[in-house]
Amino acid sequence: MPLPPKSFWRDPALAFAESRRITGSRACYRPHTHATFSIGVVDAGTSIFTSQSHSVRLTAGSLVAIPAECLHACNPAPAEPWSYQMLYLDAHWVASTLAHAGAPLCPSHALVSNDTRAYNTFCALNHLLFSDASTDVKRAALTQFIVQGVWRAGQALTPEHCTASAQLVRAQALLQARYAEPLPLATLAQAAGMSPHALVRAFRAATGLTPHAYQLNLRINAARTLLRAGHAPAVVAQDLGFYDQSHFQNAFRQRVAATPGNYRR
């Protein structure tokens, strides 16, 4: 049975995994991070993957592996729709699975591959996940795919090193602890012992995001967890401190390329 043009796969018994498949999309993403280890492939069209100060052109058959908390964006070439698949895996499950198998741990930087075997292996796995196969079969296939490590082939996008100062770490910690609350720039700057202008400049240099964008990213990742658990979008928007449901929906679409309601369903 052919997959729908836009769909997500989840199984409550395999809560460590989520997959999606999108066909003919023109949606663009804001720079964002995932709390998960994420692997994607391009089925058709052309897109530009940006991460670690690198921009790489992806075409049909390309695979990208993205570690958790790695800032990135992947957008279609102008006026050109593209089709792709994404697999999101709990980072702790991946680390535990690799360690148990005695395999190398995930890299701390993104990998881009044009290896045909890697692409075909991913597609076979994703087709299985969307099928009526049993949970045990899917669990075994996910484990084998990660341990086999075919996704490791390709070019490593080595990050530029920028060490966060103790001052900046304090501001990040405050955002991580209170991301659902209103946190004015002045409050963050005071916590860091920096001027607002200096904080924004240092924050962007270290993370690639402004403090406001960083907070939005934290909220969206939290929203994904709550929506997967069945919480209503309106409740999630309120609980996570969005101005209103429209603000939440726009921010969510810019980073997930789906509405909160569609993602929840």
Side-chain angles (χ1 to χ4, degrees):
M1 179 182 297
L3 293 172
K6 185 177 293 188
S7 58
F8 286 90
W9 166 84
R10 302 187 191 100
D11 182 340
L14 300 172
F16 60 85
E18 174 182 289
S19 187
R20 75 184 303 185
R21 183 165 180 160
I22 292 185
T23 302
S25 172
R26 296 178 186 270
C28 291
Y29 290 90
R30 292 282 182 91
H32 61 284
T33 68
H34 301 298
T36 55
F37 175 61
S38 310
I39 304 175
V41 297
V42 178
D43 295 318
T46 302
S47 65
I48 306 299
F49 177 76
T50 303
S51 180
Q52 320 279 38
S53 302
H54 299 276
S55 291
V56 180
R57 187 179 182 88
L58 306 180
T59 57
S62 296
L63 178 147
V64 180
I66 310 166
E69 308 307 334
C70 175
L71 184 68
H72 67 283
C74 195
N75 294 310
E80 182 180 341
W82 66 311
S83 302
Y84 60 96
Q85 304 173 65
M86 286 294 303
L87 176 64
Y88 306 96
L89 298 169
D90 179 82
H92 297 294
W93 178 84
V94 172
S96 175
T97 299
L98 291 173
H100 181 75
L105 297 182
C106 290
S108 59
H109 45 264
L111 301 173
V112 176
S113 169
N114 291 305
D115 183 80
T116 301
R117 178 169 172 252
Y119 172 78
N120 289 337
T121 302
F122 180 97
C123 290
L125 170 65
N126 212 27
H127 182 78
L128 176 69
L129 295 179
F130 277 90
S131 75
D132 294 329
S134 71
T135 295
D136 288 342
V137 168
K138 293 177 181 179
R139 184 191 305 274
L142 285 162
T143 301
Q144 181 181 16
F145 177 76
I146 287 300
V147 172
Q148 182 185 25
V150 67
W151 48 268
R152 293 181 184 272
Q155 172 190 0
L157 305 185
T158 306
E160 295 182 356
H161 294 288
C162 181
T163 303
S165 66
Q167 294 170 297
L168 189 60
V169 168
R170 289 199 296 270
Q172 285 180 282
L174 182 59
L175 282 167
Q176 291 164 0
R178 298 168 54 187
Y179 57 82
E181 302 176 26
L183 286 173
L185 182 59
T187 300
L188 294 171
Q190 183 178 23
M194 304 168 71
S195 72
H197 178 72
L199 175 63
V200 171
R201 185 174 56 201
F203 211 98
R204 189 192 292 274
T207 69
L209 298 171
T210 64
H212 176 68
Y214 186 86
Q215 183 179 34
L216 274 179
N217 189 77
L218 291 170
R219 289 178 174 182
I220 296 303
N221 283 335
R224 292 178 71 143
T225 299
L226 294 171
L227 292 168
R228 284 198 303 270
H231 294 250
V235 174
V236 173
Q238 182 176 12
D239 289 348
L240 293 181
F242 287 93
Y243 302 132
D244 51 35
Q245 197 166 350
S246 176
H247 178 218
F248 173 45
Q249 178 159 304
N250 289 337
F252 196 89
R253 285 177 64 98
Q254 290 169 349
R255 292 160 181 82
V256 186
T259 67
N262 287 339
Y263 183 80
R264 178 174 178 262
R265 289 191 293 270

